[in-house]
Amino acid sequence: MEEQKVTTQEWKFTAKDIALKPEGFLPGHRACAGCGPANVLRMVMKATRGPTIVTEATGCMEVVSSIYPYTSWSYPWLHTAFETAAANASGIEAALKVLTKKGKVKQEHIDIIAFAGDGGTYDIGLQALSGAVERGHDFLFILYDNEGYMNTGIQRSGGTPLGAATTTTPAGSVMPGKMQNKKPITDIMVAHDLEYVATATPYYWKDMLQKVRKGLEVEGPAFLHIFAPCPRGWRSEPAKTMEYTKLAVESCVFPVYEVVKGKYELSTPSKLIQLAPQKKIPITEYLKGQGRYRHLFTPQHQHVVDTLQRLTDERWAKLQKKVEQTA
Amino acid sequence: MKKNNLNQETTQELMALNGDEAIAYAVKQCDVDVVAAYPITPQTIIVEKYSEYVANGEVQTEYVCTESEHSAMAACIASSATGARTFTASASAGLALMHEMLFVASGCRTPIVMAVANRALSAPLNINGDQSDSMAQRDAGWIHLYVENAQEAYDTIMQAFRIAEHLDVQLPVIVGLDGFIVSHTLENVDVLSDESVKNFVGERVLPNVLTHEGKTVPFKLDPDNPMTMGPVAMPNYYFEFKRQQEEAMKNALTVIQQVHDEYAKLSGRSYGNALIEEYKLDDAEVATICVGSAAGTVKDVIDELRAEGVKAGLLRLRTFRPFPAQEVQKALENVKAVAVMDKSMSFGGNGGAVFHEVRHAMYDSKSHPFVVDYIYGLGGRDTSPKDFKKVYSDLHLIAHNKRMDKLVNYVGLRE
């Protein structure tokens, strides 16, 4: 790789720009057909602005991309354990800081990206993430959220939504899948007073790439929550992965927004729904076709769909209120 | 001014330091780039003292106050992988929490140095000294060096960086010091000048490795020379990684001695052959094996016993991993009965960790001395000279009767 420098030039993220930029996440990895996270990673790496070190939690994306002696990473990359993506970033940042002072780092600046799935973020990695952002290390944490422990065979996580069937919350005769709602991880990160927190989905790729760039440009920790369907875990058609990342936004299951220095702002796709509420689709439009929700479409479990609709509406209303309050 | 073994004048200053402070002072002199740590008794003085150095601008170190030991070790691995000389300290529950990451550190070949102020493990909760914590980590792929006092703690830290970063080794090192007995006891410590330590330790040199781009470059995370660190290895490669770690351990046996000898020339202080230290063992008929501070007490006991005509000796195990089996075997060749003093337990294992190693090493000895285990000092239980005298008198009986009744014994315990 050629010696890299931080780009100061504003990037437009046009399709041409993206096509011309060398891949950071190379083909040949072993992700499944229709994998949401693999698409996310490939695109995210197109938004880097110069020398970058990547660290990753144990999970699907780590496993599919680093099987020795092969690698999908054309950037320097470190994996240590499941719960350590943010702690790794702390160590890399601390080392770069002091080695730069001592004249042992050539590059003027090196960005750090930490990737983790929902398990490595909502659950086992939450403490390390909270600690690292509290300490103020300069890194971008990217959560690729496929709403379950897919790598180990589709178990529930703190990011799995209510009613979803997983192998540890199967839909049985008594229990309709997961009994608890998804943890509001973005709110938790906002509560850490970060300068930049955002949500994105790969369907709105330009929006997502701009958010990656913004997160990198922040001096200090930034958090980006990216919605990334898993066809295997969701029992959905691989060809429909991108469609679900659109439906999730249109149903307000996963609104896209930014929180810049505590100020909430809806991103265009969600903003349009706010301006024209009739465009908000019922949650069933998003749920149907996903095998993990199949059991909900029975009279016995209709109430779960109703609850999910109510919870989604409540969270959407709450979000709009925050936008209003922080305007 | 003092004279070292080469009869060169070396400037050494006498300081009053406890074991923890001696370690913090040594780390300060080693030009460490990153310290990532979490406080835990009886290690806290190390990180507190070091924080003062940082706060007063006496060191060029990034100090990362992590939110747990687990994250501390992860940050250390990442920092070391970025090319930084990295130090941490822990004990007891903190070390246990690091367990997962200790294997990652050795597997990633990150030459981190960690001081462990040895302390008991819960439950019941106990903050006092024993060696259960680091002995429980004996298979994590770290080099283990155990010190007897604050002076040795100081001397061993700088050797530890040299050993860890040696190109034939590239393994992390634990320097164990007995909680409170060494960590908190004020002693006279001779310290070298900053300059001589700097010359001795030198800058961290990175090994060159072949990257996936086909280039041979220094082993670190570097955007100009990207490499994938901490990958997945399937059954077709994993085994070779592990075998290489074992090879590095084997190399460490030589490197530990070389570094120690070089340091001895510089400082005038040596500790046996770096692997083991013998005390009046040449003609000993009965001997104990100790790890850590108990050796100090035993040396006094031996002097008393020798005055009474008992041929008593001591083997202090300074290096526990890699285990110096040949040296131990050779040193005990002419002894009739040996008591291994274990400051930790291996429940259901017929004796403690050190006992297993020593008895294993003696299996191939020609003389086949009796090797008996004594568990002592758990949870900080005091072990007095009287207790050690009793051990020697037991050994005398064993040697005389050519019979040992109990394989595992407990010192100073209500039963």
Side-chain angles (χ1 to χ4, degrees):
Chain A
M1 193 177 268
E2 293 295 300
E3 192 181 324
Q4 302 175 358
K5 285 200 174 117
V6 177
T7 324
T8 44
Q9 211 180 334
E10 203 187 321
W11 230 52
K12 302 277 187 252
F13 297 113
T14 62
K16 190 182 165 195
D17 284 338
I18 292 168
L20 289 176
K21 176 142 178 175
E23 301 284 347
F25 187 69
L26 298 160
H29 59 73
R30 307 188 190 188
C32 311
C35 174
N39 277 292
V40 166
L41 255 58
R42 182 181 174 205
M43 281 198 256
V44 162
M45 295 313 292
K46 294 277 187 176
T48 56
R49 57 172 181 160
T52 307
I53 293 176
V54 178
T55 183
E56 193 161 18
T58 309
C60 276
M61 290 302 98
E62 170 260 333
V63 170
V64 302
S65 66
S66 74
I67 300 174
Y68 186 87
Y70 307 105
T71 183
S72 285
W73 294 96
S74 67
Y75 282 76
W77 180 94
L78 172 74
H79 157 258
T80 63
F82 196 177
E83 61 275 57
T84 49
N88 293 346
S90 322
I92 294 167
E93 192 245 22
L96 288 178
K97 230 175 177 174
V98 66
L99 294 176
T100 301
K101 272 187 213 161
K102 293 182 179 179
K104 292 179 185 172
V105 175
K106 268 202 297 181
Q107 295 84 353
E108 196 184 319
H109 178 81
I110 298 174
D111 284 323
I112 301 163
I113 301 176
F115 284 111
D118 45 300
T121 307
Y122 285 83
D123 296 346
I124 200 167
L126 185 60
Q127 176 184 314
L129 173 59
S130 176
V133 301
E134 181 265 334
R135 292 190 297 273
H137 298 284
D138 185 10
F139 73 111
L140 170 62
F141 190 99
I142 297 181
L143 153 64
Y144 65 87
D145 187 0
N146 58 18
E147 305 196 315
Y149 292 95
M150 304 317 189
N151 189 38
T152 42
I154 318 158
Q155 293 85 25
R156 68 88 93 180
S157 80
T160 306
L162 177 84
T166 69
T167 53
T168 49
T169 57
S173 57
V174 183
M175 291 207 269
K178 191 187 170 192
M179 304 288 279
Q180 302 81 20
N181 201 14
K182 193 176 170 80
K183 192 192 277 188
I185 191 73
T186 310
D187 291 343
I188 293 169
M189 297 319 293
V190 170
H192 283 75
D193 284 343
L194 299 191
E195 198 176 316
Y196 189 76
V197 175
T199 67
T201 87
Y203 186 82
Y204 303 104
W205 51 270
K206 199 164 172 177
D207 174 71
M208 181 176 82
L209 294 186
Q210 277 163 349
K211 285 169 177 170
V212 172
R213 182 57 72 82
K214 280 186 191 174
L216 290 172
E217 280 168 358
V218 165
E219 276 181 38
F223 180 81
L224 182 54
H225 181 179
I226 302 180
F227 193 70
C230 167
R232 286 288 301 120
W234 292 15
R235 308 294 185 209
S236 58
E237 266 185 60
K240 289 196 170 163
T241 294
M242 285 301 145
E243 196 178 321
Y244 283 117
T245 75
K246 175 170 171 270
L247 294 173
V249 175
E250 289 176 346
S251 60
C252 296
V253 163
F254 194 87
V256 281
Y257 59 97
E258 288 177 302
V259 188
V260 183
K261 293 181 182 163
K263 191 178 173 301
Y264 282 73
E265 199 176 329
L266 294 175
S267 307
T268 311
S270 288
K271 181 108 184 158
L272 290 174
I273 293 165
Q274 188 194 31
L275 294 173
Q278 72 278 9
K279 286 190 176 166
K280 178 168 173 277
I281 60 168
I283 193 169
T284 44
E285 292 301 305
Y286 164 72
L287 301 180
K288 70 178 185 196
Q290 292 186 42
R292 61 176 176 161
Y293 294 123
R294 190 191 300 121
H295 58 285
L296 299 185
F297 292 89
T298 57
Q300 188 200 350
H301 294 318
Q302 177 59 42
H303 68 282
V304 181
V305 176
D306 297 343
T307 309
L308 262 174
Q309 183 67 64
R310 180 175 55 77
L311 290 170
T312 304
D313 294 346
E314 278 174 10
R315 282 196 176 175
W316 172 236
K318 217 165 132 187
L319 176 63
Q320 291 181 83
K321 209 166 175 186
K322 280 180 192 161
V323 173
E324 204 178 293
Q325 282 168 344
T326 60
Chain B
M1 291 291 224
K2 292 193 172 187
K3 298 230 170 136
N4 65 16
N5 288 2
L6 295 177
N7 215 21
Q8 294 161 330
E9 283 187 343
T10 60
T11 317
Q12 297 204 35
E13 196 186 335
L14 187 64
M15 292 179 78
L17 301 170
N18 63 38
D20 279 358
E21 288 169 339
I23 283 181
Y25 195 82
V27 175
K28 176 189 167 195
Q29 291 184 309
C30 288
D31 189 28
V32 166
D33 299 314
V34 173
V35 174
Y38 188 83
I40 184 167
T41 305
Q43 163 276 118
T44 23
I45 303 169
I46 300 175
V47 293
E48 287 170 354
K49 198 74 207 165
Y50 205 79
S51 302
E52 285 176 26
Y53 298 143
V54 175
N56 295 327
E58 292 177 63
V59 285
Q60 265 202 308
T61 304
E62 270 301 309
Y63 186 104
V64 188
C65 296
T66 56
E67 81 300 329
S68 74
E69 286 90 351
H70 194 282
S71 287
M73 188 43 66
C76 284
I77 296 164
S79 147
S80 188
T82 313
R85 178 171 287 162
T86 307
F87 174 83
T88 188
S90 195
S92 183
L95 187 65
L97 185 60
M98 283 180 183
H99 180 69
E100 177 193 18
M101 302 314 294
L102 297 181
F103 288 82
V104 181
S106 57
C108 283
R109 309 296 292 273
T110 45
I112 300 158
V113 172
M114 168 160 62
V116 174
N118 288 113
R119 167 187 151 178
L121 286 167
S122 285
L125 191 143
N126 178 294
I127 63 159
N128 297 93
D130 71 31
Q131 293 159 354
S132 311
D133 51 1
S134 56
M135 286 301 167
Q137 307 300 345
R138 62 190 182 275
D139 293 334
W142 286 56
I143 290 167
H144 285 225
L145 307 173
Y146 290 89
V147 304
E148 185 180 325
N149 49 44
Q151 179 69 64
E152 192 183 355
Y154 170 83
D155 294 332
T156 304
I157 285 293
M158 34 207 99
Q159 294 176 36
F161 282 108
R162 283 280 305 273
I163 297 161
E165 294 171 7
H166 194 285
L167 294 179
D168 295 341
V169 179
Q170 295 289 312
L171 288 175
V173 178
I174 282 175
V175 176
L177 65 160
D178 282 322
F180 293 102
I181 297 172
V182 178
S183 70
H184 283 58
T185 306
L186 205 63
E187 291 177 44
N188 286 336
V189 177
D190 271 323
V191 301
L192 295 163
S193 69
D194 292 353
E195 199 56 30
S196 23
V197 174
K198 203 178 159 190
N199 291 336
F200 175 76
V201 180
E203 288 203 1
R204 181 178 167 194
V205 178
L206 300 162
N208 285 324
V209 295
L210 186 68
T211 69
H212 57 266
E213 292 183 333
K215 285 199 280 183
T216 302
V217 298
F219 184 54
K220 66 167 181 172
L221 295 167
D222 175 6
D224 284 346
N225 298 300
M227 67 180 79
T228 294
M229 290 171 79
V232 175
M234 296 297 202
N236 56 351
Y237 281 104
Y238 180 88
F239 208 170
E240 279 77 12
F241 276 93
K242 297 296 119 183
R243 177 66 181 85
Q244 285 178 355
Q245 281 176 245
E246 181 61 17
E247 198 57 23
M249 273 285 177
K250 234 161 98 191
N251 295 344
L253 274 176
T254 315
V255 172
I256 291 166
Q257 294 180 78
Q258 283 169 353
V259 171
H260 165 270
D261 293 351
E262 198 184 315
Y263 185 81
K265 279 182 193 159
L266 172 73
S267 66
R269 289 183 293 275
S270 60
Y271 303 96
N273 69 357
L275 306 174
I276 59 169
E277 185 197 350
E278 297 177 25
Y279 187 76
K280 302 192 176 170
L281 202 55
D282 278 352
D283 62 340
E285 289 177 353
V286 285
T288 59
I289 297 185
C290 287
V291 175
S293 63
T297 313
V298 172
K299 284 172 189 170
D300 282 347
V301 168
I302 289 172
D303 291 346
E304 285 178 35
L305 290 173
R306 288 264 167 180
E308 292 164 20
V310 181
K311 285 188 174 172
L314 163 76
L315 186 155
R316 179 169 74 89
L317 204 54
R318 181 171 182 263
T319 303
F320 179 71
R321 280 286 181 274
F323 190 80
Q326 280 178 4
E327 285 76 7
V328 168
Q329 197 194 100
K330 194 160 168 270
L332 298 176
E333 226 162 31
N334 300 319
V335 180
K336 290 176 180 162
V338 181
V340 178
M341 305 303 299
D342 260 303
K343 217 172 182 177
S344 71
M345 271 199 176
S346 172
F347 301 103
N350 284 324
V354 186
F355 180 61
H356 294 152
E357 303 294 343
V358 173
R359 222 170 131 88
H360 175 198
M362 297 314 289
Y363 185 82
D364 289 331
S365 84
K366 284 184 198 107
S367 57
H368 271 290
F370 287 99
V371 184
V372 58
D373 195 23
Y374 283 83
I375 312 261
Y376 76 108
L378 293 198
R381 175 75 49 97
D382 193 31
T383 310
S384 66
K386 213 175 118 191
D387 294 321
F388 285 111
K389 273 189 187 161
K390 170 78 169 57
V391 171
Y392 277 106
S393 92
D394 288 357
L395 287 178
H396 183 72
L397 279 178
I398 291 169
H400 185 258
N401 298 338
K402 294 193 169 49
R403 200 189 66 181
M404 94 189 166
D405 294 330
K406 274 201 288 185
L407 194 68
V408 183
N409 304 270
Y410 302 92
V411 180
L413 182 78
R414 284 179 226 101
E415 277 195 285

